[in-house]
Amino acid sequence: MSERKIQMPREVYIDPGIIKKTGSICRSLHLDKKILIVTGAHTYKAGAIPAIESLENDGIDYDVVKVQNASQESISEVEELITQDTTVLGIGGGKVIDVAKLSSFNQGVYFVSMPTTASHDGIVSPMASIKNPDTSISVTAHSPIAVIADSEILAQSPFRLLAAGCADLIANFTAIKDWELAHRLKNELFSESAAALSIMSAHLITDNIANIKPNLEPSARIVMKSLFSGGMAISIAGSSRPASGSEHLFSHALDKILDKPALHGEQCGIGTIMMMYLHGGDWKAIKNSLEAVQAPTKASQIGISDDDIIEALMMAHKIRPERYTILGDNGISKEAAYELAYKTEVI
Protein backbone atom coordinates (compact mmCIF):
# COMPACT_ATOMS: atom_id res chain seq x y z
CA MET A 1 0.00 0.00 0.00
CA SER A 2 1.48 3.34 -1.06
CA GLU A 3 1.91 6.09 1.47
CA ARG A 4 0.06 9.35 0.92
CA LYS A 5 1.16 12.61 2.43
CA ILE A 6 -1.37 15.25 3.45
CA GLN A 7 0.08 18.71 2.88
CA MET A 8 -1.23 21.74 4.75
CA PRO A 9 0.03 25.30 5.13
CA ARG A 10 2.25 25.82 8.17
CA GLU A 11 0.85 29.28 8.87
CA VAL A 12 -2.36 30.99 7.72
CA TYR A 13 -3.18 34.67 8.11
CA ILE A 14 -6.62 36.01 7.16
CA ASP A 15 -6.67 39.51 8.61
CA PRO A 16 -7.08 43.16 7.60
CA GLY A 17 -3.74 44.85 6.89
CA ILE A 18 -1.72 41.62 7.22
CA ILE A 19 0.07 42.33 3.93
CA LYS A 20 2.14 44.95 5.76
CA LYS A 21 3.73 42.12 7.75
CA THR A 22 4.82 40.10 4.71
CA GLY A 23 8.50 40.59 5.48
CA SER A 24 8.30 39.58 9.14
CA ILE A 25 6.19 36.51 8.27
CA CYS A 26 8.76 35.39 5.68
CA ARG A 27 11.54 35.91 8.24
CA SER A 28 9.71 33.89 10.91
CA LEU A 29 9.42 31.00 8.45
CA HIS A 30 13.10 31.35 7.41
CA LEU A 31 12.03 32.16 3.86
CA ASP A 32 14.10 35.31 3.67
CA LYS A 33 17.03 34.46 1.38
CA LYS A 34 15.36 35.42 -1.89
CA ILE A 35 11.70 36.09 -2.73
CA LEU A 36 10.40 35.80 -6.28
CA ILE A 37 7.11 37.69 -6.52
CA VAL A 38 4.80 36.31 -9.19
CA THR A 39 1.97 38.74 -9.90
CA GLY A 40 -0.18 40.16 -12.69
CA ALA A 41 -0.59 43.53 -14.34
CA HIS A 42 -3.77 44.33 -12.40
CA THR A 43 -2.71 42.87 -9.06
CA TYR A 44 0.73 44.49 -8.98
CA LYS A 45 -0.60 47.75 -7.56
CA ALA A 46 -3.18 46.26 -5.17
CA GLY A 47 -1.02 43.50 -3.71
CA ALA A 48 2.57 43.47 -4.87
CA ILE A 49 3.47 47.08 -4.03
CA PRO A 50 2.53 46.89 -0.31
CA ALA A 51 4.17 43.46 -0.05
CA ILE A 52 7.36 44.83 -1.63
CA GLU A 53 7.40 47.72 0.85
CA SER A 54 7.23 45.22 3.70
CA LEU A 55 10.03 43.08 2.22
CA GLU A 56 12.21 46.17 1.77
CA ASN A 57 11.59 47.26 5.36
CA ASP A 58 12.83 43.85 6.50
CA GLY A 59 15.81 43.94 4.16
CA ILE A 60 14.70 40.90 2.13
CA ASP A 61 15.96 40.55 -1.45
CA TYR A 62 13.27 40.09 -4.11
CA ASP A 63 12.54 39.94 -7.83
CA VAL A 64 9.22 40.52 -9.60
CA VAL A 65 7.76 38.72 -12.61
CA LYS A 66 4.36 39.54 -14.11
CA VAL A 67 2.37 36.80 -15.85
CA GLN A 68 -0.71 37.16 -18.06
CA ASN A 69 -2.22 33.69 -17.95
CA ALA A 70 -1.89 30.25 -16.40
CA SER A 71 -0.08 28.62 -19.31
CA GLN A 72 2.92 26.33 -19.64
CA GLU A 73 4.77 29.26 -21.21
CA SER A 74 4.21 31.39 -18.08
CA ILE A 75 5.30 28.52 -15.82
CA SER A 76 8.54 28.04 -17.80
CA GLU A 77 9.22 31.78 -17.62
CA VAL A 78 8.91 31.75 -13.82
CA GLU A 79 10.92 28.53 -13.44
CA GLU A 80 13.91 30.12 -15.15
CA LEU A 81 14.11 32.71 -12.35
CA ILE A 82 13.99 30.17 -9.50
CA THR A 83 17.12 29.05 -7.66
CA GLN A 84 17.41 26.64 -4.72
CA ASP A 85 17.29 29.62 -2.31
CA THR A 86 14.12 31.10 -3.83
CA THR A 87 10.72 31.26 -2.18
CA VAL A 88 7.93 31.94 -4.69
CA LEU A 89 5.34 34.45 -3.48
CA GLY A 90 2.20 34.40 -5.63
CA ILE A 91 0.29 37.68 -5.37
CA GLY A 92 -2.93 37.85 -7.36
CA GLY A 93 -5.95 35.88 -8.47
CA GLY A 94 -6.33 32.25 -9.47
CA LYS A 95 -4.15 32.35 -12.60
CA VAL A 96 -1.21 33.96 -10.84
CA ILE A 97 -1.50 31.63 -7.84
CA ASP A 98 -1.62 28.57 -10.13
CA VAL A 99 1.53 29.63 -12.00
CA ALA A 100 3.37 30.35 -8.73
CA LYS A 101 2.20 27.04 -7.26
CA LEU A 102 3.19 24.83 -10.16
CA SER A 103 6.51 26.51 -11.00
CA SER A 104 7.61 26.31 -7.35
CA PHE A 105 6.50 22.66 -7.20
CA ASN A 106 8.44 21.79 -10.36
CA GLN A 107 11.59 23.42 -8.98
CA GLY A 108 11.22 21.98 -5.47
CA VAL A 109 11.00 25.28 -3.58
CA TYR A 110 8.49 26.75 -1.13
CA PHE A 111 5.47 28.73 -2.23
CA VAL A 112 3.54 31.40 -0.32
CA SER A 113 -0.01 32.21 -1.45
CA MET A 114 -1.17 35.82 -1.23
CA PRO A 115 -4.58 36.10 -2.92
CA THR A 116 -5.92 39.51 -3.93
CA THR A 117 -9.33 38.06 -4.80
CA ALA A 118 -11.43 35.33 -3.19
CA SER A 119 -12.79 33.91 -6.43
CA HIS A 120 -12.08 30.15 -6.04
CA ASP A 121 -10.53 27.53 -3.76
CA GLY A 122 -7.33 27.09 -5.80
CA ILE A 123 -5.64 29.78 -3.71
CA VAL A 124 -5.02 27.28 -0.91
CA SER A 125 -5.40 23.81 -2.45
CA PRO A 126 -2.60 21.62 -3.84
CA MET A 127 -4.27 21.59 -7.28
CA ALA A 128 -3.46 23.94 -10.16
CA SER A 129 -5.47 24.65 -13.32
CA ILE A 130 -3.27 25.17 -16.38
CA LYS A 131 -4.46 26.21 -19.83
CA ASN A 132 -3.60 24.09 -22.86
CA PRO A 133 -4.32 25.22 -26.44
CA ASP A 134 -7.67 23.37 -26.37
CA THR A 135 -8.73 23.36 -22.72
CA SER A 136 -7.57 23.69 -19.13
CA ILE A 137 -6.25 20.74 -17.13
CA SER A 138 -6.12 20.23 -13.39
CA VAL A 139 -2.78 18.98 -12.08
CA THR A 140 -1.46 18.15 -8.62
CA ALA A 141 1.21 20.49 -7.28
CA HIS A 142 1.71 21.34 -3.60
CA SER A 143 0.03 23.38 -0.90
CA PRO A 144 1.50 26.74 0.08
CA ILE A 145 3.76 26.76 3.12
CA ALA A 146 1.89 29.89 4.18
CA VAL A 147 -1.25 31.81 3.19
CA ILE A 148 -1.26 35.59 3.69
CA ALA A 149 -4.75 36.86 2.86
CA ASP A 150 -5.36 40.54 3.52
CA SER A 151 -9.13 40.77 3.96
CA GLU A 152 -9.11 44.54 3.28
CA ILE A 153 -7.57 43.97 -0.16
CA LEU A 154 -9.98 41.09 -0.83
CA ALA A 155 -12.94 43.33 0.06
CA GLN A 156 -11.75 46.01 -2.39
CA SER A 157 -11.67 43.61 -5.34
CA PRO A 158 -14.71 43.59 -7.67
CA PHE A 159 -17.68 42.00 -5.87
CA ARG A 160 -18.30 39.84 -8.93
CA LEU A 161 -15.11 37.94 -8.02
CA LEU A 162 -16.20 37.42 -4.42
CA ALA A 163 -19.62 36.23 -5.63
CA ALA A 164 -17.85 33.76 -7.95
CA GLY A 165 -15.90 32.47 -4.94
CA CYS A 166 -19.18 31.91 -3.10
CA ALA A 167 -20.59 30.05 -6.11
CA ASP A 168 -17.49 27.84 -6.29
CA LEU A 169 -18.04 26.91 -2.64
CA ILE A 170 -21.78 26.28 -3.09
CA ALA A 171 -20.73 23.82 -5.81
CA ASN A 172 -19.35 21.59 -3.04
CA PHE A 173 -22.90 20.42 -2.34
CA THR A 174 -23.17 18.59 -5.68
CA ALA A 175 -19.48 17.64 -5.77
CA ILE A 176 -19.96 15.61 -2.58
CA LYS A 177 -23.15 13.99 -3.92
CA ASP A 178 -21.21 12.92 -7.02
CA TRP A 179 -18.34 11.59 -4.90
CA GLU A 180 -20.74 9.57 -2.74
CA LEU A 181 -22.35 8.19 -5.90
CA ALA A 182 -18.96 7.15 -7.32
CA HIS A 183 -18.16 5.50 -3.98
CA ARG A 184 -21.40 3.48 -4.06
CA LEU A 185 -21.41 2.54 -7.75
CA LYS A 186 -17.68 2.37 -8.58
CA ASN A 187 -16.18 1.64 -5.16
CA GLU A 188 -14.13 4.83 -5.43
CA LEU A 189 -12.16 5.75 -2.31
CA PHE A 190 -14.14 8.18 -0.16
CA SER A 191 -12.99 10.32 2.76
CA GLU A 192 -15.73 11.16 5.25
CA SER A 193 -13.58 13.79 6.94
CA ALA A 194 -12.79 15.55 3.64
CA ALA A 195 -16.46 15.40 2.63
CA ALA A 196 -17.61 16.82 5.97
CA LEU A 197 -15.10 19.68 5.74
CA SER A 198 -16.20 20.43 2.19
CA ILE A 199 -19.89 20.58 3.16
CA MET A 200 -19.04 22.73 6.18
CA SER A 201 -17.23 25.16 3.86
CA ALA A 202 -20.33 25.44 1.67
CA HIS A 203 -22.57 25.96 4.70
CA LEU A 204 -20.30 28.78 5.90
CA ILE A 205 -21.49 30.62 2.80
CA THR A 206 -25.17 29.64 2.75
CA ASP A 207 -25.59 30.19 6.51
CA ASN A 208 -23.99 33.66 6.29
CA ILE A 209 -25.54 34.71 3.00
CA ALA A 210 -27.12 37.86 4.45
CA ASN A 211 -23.72 39.05 5.69
CA ILE A 212 -21.91 38.81 2.36
CA LYS A 213 -22.02 42.25 0.80
CA PRO A 214 -19.79 44.42 -1.43
CA ASN A 215 -16.79 46.28 0.00
CA LEU A 216 -17.14 44.83 3.50
CA GLU A 217 -13.99 43.40 5.09
CA PRO A 218 -15.92 40.92 7.32
CA SER A 219 -17.67 39.57 4.19
CA ALA A 220 -14.35 38.98 2.46
CA ARG A 221 -13.04 37.27 5.60
CA ILE A 222 -16.00 34.85 5.69
CA VAL A 223 -15.50 33.87 2.05
CA MET A 224 -11.73 33.52 2.41
CA LYS A 225 -12.06 31.31 5.50
CA SER A 226 -14.57 29.15 3.63
CA LEU A 227 -12.23 28.86 0.63
CA PHE A 228 -9.40 27.93 2.97
CA SER A 229 -11.34 25.11 4.62
CA GLY A 230 -12.52 23.91 1.19
CA GLY A 231 -8.92 23.83 0.03
CA MET A 232 -7.99 21.80 3.09
CA ALA A 233 -10.67 19.25 2.19
CA ILE A 234 -8.90 18.80 -1.15
CA SER A 235 -5.57 18.31 0.65
CA ILE A 236 -7.07 15.66 2.94
CA ALA A 237 -8.67 13.80 0.02
CA GLY A 238 -5.55 13.98 -2.13
CA SER A 239 -7.71 15.00 -5.08
CA SER A 240 -10.16 17.72 -6.09
CA ARG A 241 -13.12 15.36 -5.49
CA PRO A 242 -14.47 17.26 -2.43
CA ALA A 243 -14.92 20.40 -4.51
CA SER A 244 -15.27 19.25 -8.10
CA GLY A 245 -18.00 17.08 -9.58
CA SER A 246 -20.43 17.19 -12.48
CA GLU A 247 -20.91 20.95 -12.07
CA HIS A 248 -17.17 21.46 -12.68
CA LEU A 249 -17.22 19.10 -15.69
CA PHE A 250 -20.00 21.29 -17.10
CA SER A 251 -17.88 24.41 -16.50
CA HIS A 252 -14.82 22.83 -18.13
CA ALA A 253 -17.00 21.89 -21.12
CA LEU A 254 -18.03 25.54 -21.44
CA ASP A 255 -14.34 26.50 -21.31
CA LYS A 256 -13.77 24.31 -24.38
CA ILE A 257 -16.81 25.61 -26.26
CA LEU A 258 -16.64 29.34 -25.57
CA ASP A 259 -14.14 31.79 -27.03
CA LYS A 260 -14.38 33.83 -23.85
CA PRO A 261 -15.73 31.83 -20.88
CA ALA A 262 -17.31 33.50 -17.85
CA LEU A 263 -15.68 33.29 -14.42
CA HIS A 264 -14.98 29.75 -13.23
CA GLY A 265 -17.17 30.11 -10.13
CA GLU A 266 -20.04 31.63 -12.11
CA GLN A 267 -20.15 28.70 -14.51
CA CYS A 268 -19.86 26.19 -11.68
CA GLY A 269 -22.69 27.88 -9.80
CA ILE A 270 -25.04 27.57 -12.76
CA GLY A 271 -23.89 23.97 -13.18
CA THR A 272 -24.66 23.28 -9.52
CA ILE A 273 -28.31 24.29 -9.99
CA MET A 274 -28.75 21.78 -12.79
CA MET A 275 -26.75 18.96 -11.21
CA MET A 276 -28.66 19.29 -7.95
CA TYR A 277 -31.84 18.84 -10.00
CA LEU A 278 -30.42 15.64 -11.49
CA HIS A 279 -29.55 14.40 -8.00
CA GLY A 280 -33.15 15.05 -6.91
CA GLY A 281 -32.00 17.64 -4.38
CA ASP A 282 -33.23 21.12 -3.54
CA TRP A 283 -32.00 22.96 -6.63
CA LYS A 284 -34.18 25.97 -5.81
CA ALA A 285 -32.25 26.49 -2.54
CA ILE A 286 -29.02 26.52 -4.58
CA LYS A 287 -30.54 29.03 -6.99
CA ASN A 288 -31.75 31.26 -4.14
CA SER A 289 -28.33 31.21 -2.44
CA LEU A 290 -26.59 32.20 -5.66
CA GLU A 291 -29.06 35.02 -6.25
CA ALA A 292 -28.52 36.24 -2.68
CA VAL A 293 -24.79 36.76 -3.33
CA GLN A 294 -25.48 38.30 -6.76
CA ALA A 295 -24.04 35.31 -8.61
CA PRO A 296 -25.66 34.46 -11.96
CA THR A 297 -28.30 31.74 -12.20
CA LYS A 298 -29.20 32.14 -15.89
CA ALA A 299 -27.01 31.67 -18.95
CA SER A 300 -28.07 35.03 -20.37
CA GLN A 301 -26.66 36.87 -17.34
CA ILE A 302 -23.13 35.92 -18.38
CA GLY A 303 -23.62 36.07 -22.13
CA ILE A 304 -23.85 32.33 -22.80
CA SER A 305 -26.31 31.11 -25.44
CA ASP A 306 -28.89 28.39 -24.84
CA ASP A 307 -27.22 26.22 -27.50
CA ASP A 308 -23.84 26.42 -25.74
CA ILE A 309 -25.44 25.37 -22.43
CA ILE A 310 -27.02 22.34 -24.11
CA GLU A 311 -23.77 21.38 -25.86
CA ALA A 312 -21.80 21.69 -22.60
CA LEU A 313 -24.30 19.48 -20.79
CA MET A 314 -24.04 16.83 -23.49
CA MET A 315 -20.23 16.74 -23.55
CA ALA A 316 -19.47 17.26 -19.84
CA HIS A 317 -19.15 13.53 -19.06
CA LYS A 318 -16.30 13.27 -21.60
CA ILE A 319 -14.11 15.91 -19.93
CA ARG A 320 -12.75 13.57 -17.25
CA PRO A 321 -14.11 10.11 -18.10
CA GLU A 322 -12.37 8.59 -15.08
CA ARG A 323 -14.38 10.84 -12.74
CA TYR A 324 -17.80 9.25 -12.32
CA THR A 325 -20.68 11.65 -11.61
CA ILE A 326 -24.47 11.86 -11.89
CA LEU A 327 -23.93 12.32 -15.65
CA GLY A 328 -22.91 8.66 -15.87
CA ASP A 329 -20.61 7.07 -18.43
CA ASN A 330 -22.74 8.01 -21.43
CA GLY A 331 -23.91 11.51 -20.55
CA ILE A 332 -27.37 12.88 -21.27
CA SER A 333 -29.31 13.29 -24.50
CA LYS A 334 -29.98 16.60 -26.21
CA GLU A 335 -33.66 16.39 -25.27
CA ALA A 336 -32.85 15.68 -21.60
CA ALA A 337 -30.26 18.48 -21.55
CA TYR A 338 -32.79 20.97 -22.89
CA GLU A 339 -35.44 19.82 -20.42
CA LEU A 340 -32.93 20.12 -17.55
CA ALA A 341 -31.78 23.63 -18.45
CA TYR A 342 -35.36 24.79 -19.10
CA LYS A 343 -36.87 23.37 -15.90
CA THR A 344 -34.14 24.88 -13.73
CA GLU A 345 -34.61 28.24 -15.52
CA VAL A 346 -30.97 28.35 -16.65
CA ILE A 347 -32.25 28.98 -20.19
Side-chain angles (χ1 to χ4, degrees):
M1 186 175 178
S2 62
E3 294 179 352
R4 191 175 68 77
K5 178 171 64 175
I6 297 175
Q7 279 192 335
M8 302 228 176
R10 192 178 299 172
E11 294 185 5
V12 178
Y13 301 86
I14 305 174
D15 297 292
I18 193 65
I19 199 166
K20 296 172 185 174
K21 296 184 179 178
T22 303
S24 61
I25 292 170
C26 288
R27 280 218 184 279
S28 72
L29 289 167
H30 305 291
L31 306 175
D32 51 1
K33 287 186 178 178
K34 182 65 175 284
I35 301 289
L36 175 61
I37 294 174
V38 180
T39 190
H42 298 297
T43 53
Y44 178 78
K45 184 177 180 182
I49 288 178
I52 286 169
E53 289 175 358
S54 178
L55 293 173
E56 288 178 343
N57 290 338
D58 276 82
I60 298 174
D61 194 17
Y62 67 89
D63 276 332
V64 180
V65 57
K66 295 179 184 177
V67 297
Q68 287 187 319
N69 46 46
S71 64
Q72 191 55 55
E73 186 180 356
S74 297
I75 291 164
S76 299
E77 180 186 353
V78 173
E79 285 182 20
E80 288 177 7
L81 301 172
I82 295 174
T83 68
Q84 62 180 9
D85 292 330
T86 302
T87 294
V88 178
L89 173 56
I91 306 177
K95 294 174 185 176
V96 165
I97 297 293
D98 282 342
V99 170
K101 186 189 300 180
L102 201 53
S103 58
S104 62
F105 173 71
N106 291 342
Q107 296 300 308
V109 300
Y110 286 123
F111 152 62
V112 176
S113 178
M114 185 178 286
T116 55
T117 65
S119 56
H120 67 75
D121 55 24
I123 50 188
V124 293
S125 79
M127 309 299 293
S129 182
I130 303 302
K131 289 237 178 266
N132 278 343
D134 295 328
T135 185
S136 60
I137 57 168
S138 184
V139 295
T140 301
H142 59 177
S143 293
I145 189 171
V147 177
I148 306 172
D150 193 312
S151 46
E152 284 180 347
I153 291 174
L154 296 174
Q156 289 163 13
S157 70
F159 188 68
R160 182 186 175 187
L161 298 173
L162 200 71
C166 292
D168 200 23
L169 283 158
I170 289 169
N172 291 7
F173 286 122
T174 46
I176 295 301
K177 284 186 177 293
D178 282 324
W179 196 13
E180 289 171 334
L181 189 66
H183 174 61
R184 290 194 298 269
L185 298 184
K186 302 288 185 177
N187 200 33
E188 185 175 319
L189 286 175
F190 182 79
S191 167
E192 291 184 357
S193 56
L197 187 55
S198 173
I199 292 296
M200 184 202 77
S201 305
H203 275 299
L204 274 172
I205 298 301
T206 56
D207 293 349
N208 287 283
I209 216 93
N211 300 320
I212 299 173
K213 300 182 185 303
N215 304 313
L216 283 180
E217 182 274 328
S219 297
R221 204 176 335 151
I222 289 170
V223 178
M224 186 60 219
K225 285 182 177 179
S226 304
L227 289 170
F228 171 74
S229 56
M232 289 304 91
I234 293 171
S235 293
I236 292 167
S239 82
S240 59
R241 261 300 194 181
S244 177
S246 50
E247 74 297 320
H248 273 64
L249 298 180
F250 165 76
S251 176
H252 292 318
L254 284 174
D255 290 341
K256 289 191 77 164
I257 294 166
L258 302 173
D259 292 330
K260 191 175 181 183
L263 293 176
H264 168 79
E266 292 177 334
Q267 294 181 170
C268 289
I270 286 175
T272 303
I273 297 170
M274 294 188 287
M275 301 310 153
M276 187 60 83
Y277 178 92
L278 289 180
H279 275 288
D282 191 351
W283 63 271
K284 289 184 178 179
I286 299 293
K287 183 174 184 283
N288 292 339
S289 293
L290 291 169
E291 287 176 342
V293 292
Q294 299 176 37
T297 60
K298 297 179 184 293
S300 59
Q301 291 174 310
I302 45 177
I304 300 178
S305 71
D306 293 0
D307 288 344
D308 286 337
I309 292 290
I310 302 307
E311 186 181 350
L313 284 170
M314 292 169 61
M315 71 180 288
H317 70 287
K318 299 177 183 176
I319 299 295
R320 295 188 67 176
E322 80 286 356
R323 177 156 291 188
Y324 190 81
T325 71
I326 192 68
L327 297 170
D329 293 321
N330 299 314
I332 59 176
S333 68
K334 186 172 185 178
E335 294 76 14
Y338 180 84
E339 189 80 358
L340 169 62
Y342 180 75
K343 280 191 173 179
T344 54
E345 302 169 7
V346 167
I347 63 172

Short mmCIF file of all heavy atoms in Angstrom, two decimals, residues 11-40:
data_model
loop_
_atom_site.label_atom_id
_atom_site.label_comp_id
_atom_site.label_asym_id
_atom_site.label_seq_id
_atom_site.Cartn_x
_atom_site.Cartn_y
_atom_site.Cartn_z
N GLU A 11 1.44 28.10 8.23
CA GLU A 11 0.85 29.28 8.87
C GLU A 11 -0.18 29.90 7.93
O GLU A 11 0.03 29.94 6.72
CB GLU A 11 1.93 30.32 9.23
CG GLU A 11 2.90 29.83 10.29
CD GLU A 11 3.90 30.90 10.73
OE1 GLU A 11 3.79 32.06 10.27
OE2 GLU A 11 4.80 30.57 11.51
N VAL A 12 -1.28 30.37 8.50
CA VAL A 12 -2.36 30.99 7.72
C VAL A 12 -2.77 32.30 8.39
O VAL A 12 -3.05 32.32 9.59
CB VAL A 12 -3.59 30.06 7.61
CG1 VAL A 12 -4.71 30.73 6.84
CG2 VAL A 12 -3.20 28.74 6.96
N TYR A 13 -2.78 33.36 7.61
CA TYR A 13 -3.18 34.67 8.11
C TYR A 13 -4.33 35.17 7.25
O TYR A 13 -4.18 35.32 6.04
CB TYR A 13 -2.02 35.67 8.03
CG TYR A 13 -0.79 35.26 8.81
CD1 TYR A 13 0.17 34.43 8.23
CD2 TYR A 13 -0.58 35.70 10.11
CE1 TYR A 13 1.31 34.05 8.93
CE2 TYR A 13 0.56 35.33 10.82
CZ TYR A 13 1.49 34.50 10.22
OH TYR A 13 2.62 34.12 10.92
N ILE A 14 -5.48 35.40 7.85
CA ILE A 14 -6.62 36.01 7.16
C ILE A 14 -7.06 37.19 8.02
O ILE A 14 -7.88 37.07 8.92
CB ILE A 14 -7.77 35.00 6.97
CG1 ILE A 14 -7.28 33.73 6.25
CG2 ILE A 14 -8.91 35.64 6.17
CD1 ILE A 14 -8.30 32.62 6.14
N ASP A 15 -6.47 38.33 7.75
CA ASP A 15 -6.67 39.51 8.61
C ASP A 15 -6.59 40.78 7.79
O ASP A 15 -5.90 40.83 6.76
CB ASP A 15 -5.59 39.56 9.70
CG ASP A 15 -5.64 38.39 10.65
OD1 ASP A 15 -6.61 38.31 11.42
OD2 ASP A 15 -4.72 37.55 10.62
N PRO A 16 -7.24 41.86 8.26
CA PRO A 16 -7.08 43.16 7.60
C PRO A 16 -5.69 43.73 7.84
O PRO A 16 -5.17 43.68 8.95
CB PRO A 16 -8.16 44.03 8.26
CG PRO A 16 -8.43 43.39 9.59
CD PRO A 16 -8.19 41.92 9.39
N GLY A 17 -5.05 44.21 6.76
CA GLY A 17 -3.74 44.85 6.89
C GLY A 17 -2.57 43.90 7.05
O GLY A 17 -1.43 44.35 7.21
N ILE A 18 -2.79 42.59 6.96
CA ILE A 18 -1.72 41.62 7.22
C ILE A 18 -0.62 41.69 6.16
O ILE A 18 0.52 41.29 6.41
CB ILE A 18 -2.30 40.19 7.31
CG1 ILE A 18 -1.27 39.21 7.90
CG2 ILE A 18 -2.78 39.71 5.95
CD1 ILE A 18 -0.88 39.47 9.32
N ILE A 19 -0.93 42.24 5.00
CA ILE A 19 0.07 42.33 3.93
C ILE A 19 1.27 43.17 4.35
O ILE A 19 2.39 42.98 3.87
CB ILE A 19 -0.57 42.88 2.63
CG1 ILE A 19 0.31 42.53 1.42
CG2 ILE A 19 -0.83 44.38 2.73
CD1 ILE A 19 -0.38 42.75 0.09
N LYS A 20 1.04 44.09 5.29
CA LYS A 20 2.14 44.95 5.76
C LYS A 20 3.15 44.18 6.60
O LYS A 20 4.22 44.69 6.91
CB LYS A 20 1.56 46.11 6.59
CG LYS A 20 0.68 47.05 5.78
CD LYS A 20 -0.03 48.06 6.67
CE LYS A 20 -1.00 48.92 5.86
NZ LYS A 20 -1.81 49.81 6.71
N LYS A 21 2.81 42.94 6.95
CA LYS A 21 3.73 42.12 7.75
C LYS A 21 4.34 40.99 6.92
O LYS A 21 4.87 40.02 7.47
CB LYS A 21 2.99 41.55 8.96
CG LYS A 21 2.51 42.64 9.92
CD LYS A 21 1.87 42.05 11.16
CE LYS A 21 1.42 43.16 12.12
NZ LYS A 21 0.74 42.60 13.32
N THR A 22 4.28 41.14 5.60
CA THR A 22 4.82 40.10 4.71
C THR A 22 6.26 39.76 5.04
O THR A 22 6.65 38.59 5.14
CB THR A 22 4.71 40.53 3.24
OG1 THR A 22 3.34 40.82 2.93
CG2 THR A 22 5.23 39.45 2.31
N GLY A 23 7.08 40.79 5.20
CA GLY A 23 8.50 40.59 5.48
C GLY A 23 8.75 39.83 6.77
O GLY A 23 9.53 38.87 6.80
N SER A 24 8.08 40.23 7.85
CA SER A 24 8.30 39.58 9.14
C SER A 24 7.79 38.14 9.13
O SER A 24 8.37 37.25 9.76
CB SER A 24 7.63 40.37 10.27
OG SER A 24 6.24 40.47 10.07
N ILE A 25 6.70 37.88 8.38
CA ILE A 25 6.19 36.51 8.27
C ILE A 25 7.20 35.63 7.53
O ILE A 25 7.49 34.50 7.95
CB ILE A 25 4.82 36.49 7.55
CG1 ILE A 25 3.75 37.14 8.43
CG2 ILE A 25 4.40 35.06 7.21
CD1 ILE A 25 2.43 37.39 7.73
N CYS A 26 7.75 36.15 6.43
CA CYS A 26 8.76 35.39 5.68
C CYS A 26 9.99 35.12 6.55
O CYS A 26 10.56 34.03 6.51
CB CYS A 26 9.15 36.14 4.41
SG CYS A 26 7.86 36.13 3.13
N ARG A 27 10.38 36.11 7.35
CA ARG A 27 11.54 35.91 8.24
C ARG A 27 11.24 34.84 9.28
O ARG A 27 12.09 33.99 9.58
CB ARG A 27 11.90 37.22 8.93
CG ARG A 27 12.71 38.17 8.09
CD ARG A 27 13.78 38.90 8.91
NE ARG A 27 14.49 39.88 8.11
CZ ARG A 27 15.48 39.59 7.27
NH1 ARG A 27 15.85 38.35 7.11
NH2 ARG A 27 16.09 40.54 6.59
N SER A 28 10.05 34.86 9.86
CA SER A 28 9.71 33.89 10.91
C SER A 28 9.70 32.46 10.38
O SER A 28 9.94 31.51 11.12
CB SER A 28 8.36 34.24 11.53
OG SER A 28 7.29 33.95 10.63
N LEU A 29 9.43 32.32 9.07
CA LEU A 29 9.42 31.00 8.45
C LEU A 29 10.77 30.64 7.81
O LEU A 29 10.90 29.60 7.17
CB LEU A 29 8.32 30.94 7.38
CG LEU A 29 6.88 30.93 7.89
CD1 LEU A 29 5.90 31.21 6.76
CD2 LEU A 29 6.55 29.60 8.54
N HIS A 30 11.76 31.53 7.99
CA HIS A 30 13.10 31.35 7.41
C HIS A 30 13.04 31.27 5.88
O HIS A 30 13.76 30.49 5.25
CB HIS A 30 13.77 30.10 7.99
CG HIS A 30 13.84 30.09 9.49
ND1 HIS A 30 14.64 30.96 10.21
CD2 HIS A 30 13.17 29.34 10.40
CE1 HIS A 30 14.48 30.74 11.50
NE2 HIS A 30 13.58 29.77 11.65
N LEU A 31 12.17 32.08 5.31
CA LEU A 31 12.03 32.16 3.86
C LEU A 31 12.55 33.50 3.35
O LEU A 31 11.95 34.14 2.51
CB LEU A 31 10.55 31.99 3.46
CG LEU A 31 9.83 30.75 3.98
CD1 LEU A 31 8.36 30.79 3.60
CD2 LEU A 31 10.47 29.48 3.45
N ASP A 32 13.66 33.94 3.89
CA ASP A 32 14.10 35.31 3.67
C ASP A 32 15.39 35.44 2.87
O ASP A 32 16.01 36.50 2.84
CB ASP A 32 14.26 36.04 5.01
CG ASP A 32 15.11 35.25 6.00
OD1 ASP A 32 15.59 34.16 5.64
OD2 ASP A 32 15.29 35.74 7.14
N LYS A 33 15.82 34.35 2.20
CA LYS A 33 17.03 34.46 1.38
C LYS A 33 16.75 35.21 0.09
O LYS A 33 17.47 36.13 -0.28
CB LYS A 33 17.60 33.06 1.09
CG LYS A 33 18.27 32.42 2.30
CD LYS A 33 18.93 31.11 1.91
CE LYS A 33 19.63 30.50 3.11
NZ LYS A 33 20.25 29.18 2.78
N LYS A 34 15.72 34.77 -0.63
CA LYS A 34 15.36 35.42 -1.89
C LYS A 34 13.89 35.15 -2.18
O LYS A 34 13.45 34.01 -2.18
CB LYS A 34 16.22 34.87 -3.03
CG LYS A 34 15.97 35.50 -4.40
CD LYS A 34 16.35 36.98 -4.41
CE LYS A 34 16.22 37.58 -5.80
NZ LYS A 34 17.31 37.19 -6.69
N ILE A 35 13.13 36.21 -2.40
CA ILE A 35 11.70 36.09 -2.73
C ILE A 35 11.51 36.40 -4.20
O ILE A 35 11.98 37.43 -4.70
CB ILE A 35 10.85 37.06 -1.87
CG1 ILE A 35 11.01 36.79 -0.38
CG2 ILE A 35 9.38 36.99 -2.30
CD1 ILE A 35 10.38 35.51 0.11
N LEU A 36 10.81 35.52 -4.91
CA LEU A 36 10.40 35.80 -6.28
C LEU A 36 8.90 36.06 -6.26
O LEU A 36 8.10 35.16 -6.00
CB LEU A 36 10.72 34.63 -7.21
CG LEU A 36 10.22 34.78 -8.65
CD1 LEU A 36 10.86 36.00 -9.33
CD2 LEU A 36 10.48 33.51 -9.47
N ILE A 37 8.53 37.31 -6.50
CA ILE A 37 7.11 37.69 -6.52
C ILE A 37 6.54 37.43 -7.91
O ILE A 37 7.02 37.96 -8.91
CB ILE A 37 6.93 39.18 -6.15
CG1 ILE A 37 7.35 39.41 -4.69
CG2 ILE A 37 5.50 39.63 -6.38
CD1 ILE A 37 7.35 40.88 -4.28
N VAL A 38 5.53 36.58 -7.95
CA VAL A 38 4.80 36.31 -9.19
C VAL A 38 3.46 37.03 -9.08
O VAL A 38 2.69 36.78 -8.14
CB VAL A 38 4.58 34.81 -9.41
CG1 VAL A 38 3.81 34.56 -10.71
CG2 VAL A 38 5.91 34.06 -9.42
N THR A 39 3.19 37.94 -9.99
CA THR A 39 1.97 38.74 -9.90
C THR A 39 1.45 39.03 -11.30
O THR A 39 1.98 38.51 -12.30
CB THR A 39 2.22 40.04 -9.11
OG1 THR A 39 0.98 40.68 -8.82
CG2 THR A 39 3.14 40.99 -9.84
N GLY A 40 0.39 39.80 -11.40
CA GLY A 40 -0.18 40.16 -12.69
C GLY A 40 -0.21 41.67 -12.87
O GLY A 40 0.06 42.42 -11.93
#
